[in-house]
Amino acid sequence: PVPFELSFSELVSGFTTEDISITHGTVTDFSAGSNYSLSFDGVDDYVDLGDIFNDLSLPVSFQVQTKFNGNGGTIFVTDSDLDASLDNYYGYYLEVGLNIISIMYGDGAGTGGGHRRTGRTYVSLNADTWYSISCVFHGPQDMSIYLNGVNQEMNYNDAGFGGTVGSNDHPFTLGGTNVGNNQTGYYDGFIDELRFWDIALTDEEILSNYNTPPTGAEEGLIGYWNFNEGSGTTLTDQTSNGNNGTIYGATWSADAPE
């Protein structure tokens, strides 16, 4: 037999062996591949995961893979005020830029900096490069950020103080976000492999799993979106919780981390 590989210059979904016709021989060990991401245009694209995780108390961990264009931005907010009807800080959120990664949560009690708890790490990132970001919240000034599985030095200047995590009836959104007394912003880049845990992942667990897909049944895993649908307007939760998202504008891309 003569092995060969078939590739496409554009995203192709639903491709099976029935779409291959050869004159002599048979097709064996066929793999269509399913490694996709979502591309966000920075203008109006977002994913709505619904009003979920309102009872998600500390400790909390989340992981995501991303590649941004330009200077980066906010990847998600778990209580996102897209219609700008609420000014207070609510929920958990993640921002990434060329020189900084910030994680925060809000207590829902006000708009001032004292009503958000912020941890950040100063980094040197490049646009158009895939990164894996893992974060663990234990409490105010007790957070961890991991870049490609490596624990980073934290900074808590202007970090807020005390308080518990506040929630509202606004949705968890990716790509298009708003929190506090800010304007709605849209992420310009790619998002893949989003995971939420209701436990504090350890250094060892993050190092072993940051670049390895979970099964969806791991203890403490409450949300896992692998972005491998490749078509349609639904982002499917791979856990049994069924928190599927609706895609608005974002497009499927074969540009995904290996």
Side-chain angles (χ1 to χ4, degrees), residues 34 39 80 149 161 175 183 208 212 242 251:
S34 60
S39 174
S80 191
F161 51 86
Q183 294 182 337
S208 66
T212 302
T251 56

Side-chain angles (χ1 to χ4, degrees), residues 7-8 21 24 58 92 124-125 133 144-145 150 159 163-164 183 195-196 216 229 241:
S7 61
F8 299 90
S21 176
H24 301 286
L58 301 173
Y92 301 90
S124 179
L125 305 182
I133 301 172
S144 299
I145 297 174
V150 179
T164 57
Q183 294 182 337
R195 314 164 191 176
F196 258 73
E229 289 81 355
N241 294 321

Side-chain angles (χ1 to χ4, degrees), residues 5-255:
E5 179 178 318
L6 183 65
S7 61
F8 299 90
S9 61
E10 297 180 353
L11 177 63
V12 176
S13 61
F15 191 83
T16 70
T17 54
E18 296 179 355
D19 298 303
I20 302 174
S21 176
I22 58 178
T23 303
H24 301 286
T26 59
V27 178
T28 60
D29 298 324
F30 173 79
S31 175
S34 60
N35 195 17
Y36 302 117
S37 68
L38 275 177
S39 174
F40 297 80
D41 65 4
V43 177
D44 57 4
D45 292 353
Y46 70 100
V47 176
D48 186 333
L49 292 169
D51 182 25
I52 61 175
F53 298 159
N54 287 333
D55 57 352
L56 186 57
S57 58
L58 301 173
V60 167
S61 305
F62 55 78
Q63 299 173 286
V64 68
Q65 296 193 25
T66 188
K67 181 174 78 168
F68 58 85
N69 303 315
N71 297 319
T74 302
I75 294 178
F76 68 76
V77 174
T78 61
D79 290 272
S80 191
D81 185 20
L82 287 183
D83 61 7
S85 62
L86 294 173
D87 286 336
N88 293 358
Y89 287 100
Y90 286 94
Y92 301 90
Y93 35 117
L94 167 66
E95 296 179 356
V96 60
L98 292 169
N99 304 116
I100 191 170
I101 302 172
S102 299
I103 54 176
M104 293 159 275
Y105 69 86
D107 63 11
T111 63
H115 294 286
R116 56 165 171 75
R117 324 291 173 238
T118 305
R120 62 184 67 84
T121 184
Y122 293 102
V123 292
S124 179
L125 305 182
N126 297 312
D128 200 34
T129 300
W130 279 102
Y131 295 101
S132 173
I133 301 172
S134 302
C135 306
V136 180
F137 289 89
H138 291 279
Q141 301 191 30
D142 188 7
M143 308 173 187
S144 299
I145 297 174
Y146 300 76
L147 183 62
N148 294 336
V150 179
N151 201 347
Q152 305 295 300
E153 181 179 353
M154 296 298 296
N155 178 287
Y156 297 106
N157 292 336
D158 186 30
F161 51 86
T164 57
V165 183
S167 62
N168 55 37
D169 59 0
H170 282 64
F172 182 157
T173 61
L174 308 173
T177 57
N178 192 345
V179 68
N181 55 346
N182 299 300
Q183 294 182 337
T184 298
Y186 292 94
Y187 190 70
D188 184 5
F190 300 80
I191 300 176
D192 197 8
E193 283 289 323
L194 176 65
R195 314 164 191 176
F196 258 73
W197 308 75
D198 64 2
I199 58 174
L201 295 176
T202 65
D203 289 358
E204 293 76 14
E205 288 171 327
I206 289 173
L207 186 60
S208 66
N209 78 4
Y210 80 91
N211 202 30
T212 302
T215 65
E218 285 81 357
E219 180 179 357
L221 184 63
I222 58 173
Y224 171 42
W225 299 268
N226 64 13
F227 292 74
N228 283 341
E229 289 81 355
S231 63
T233 59
T234 299
L235 182 64
T236 304
D237 182 5
Q238 303 299 314
T239 74
S240 60
N241 294 321
N243 291 317
N244 299 336
T246 301
I247 301 167
Y248 295 94
T251 56
W252 296 105
S253 173
D255 186 346

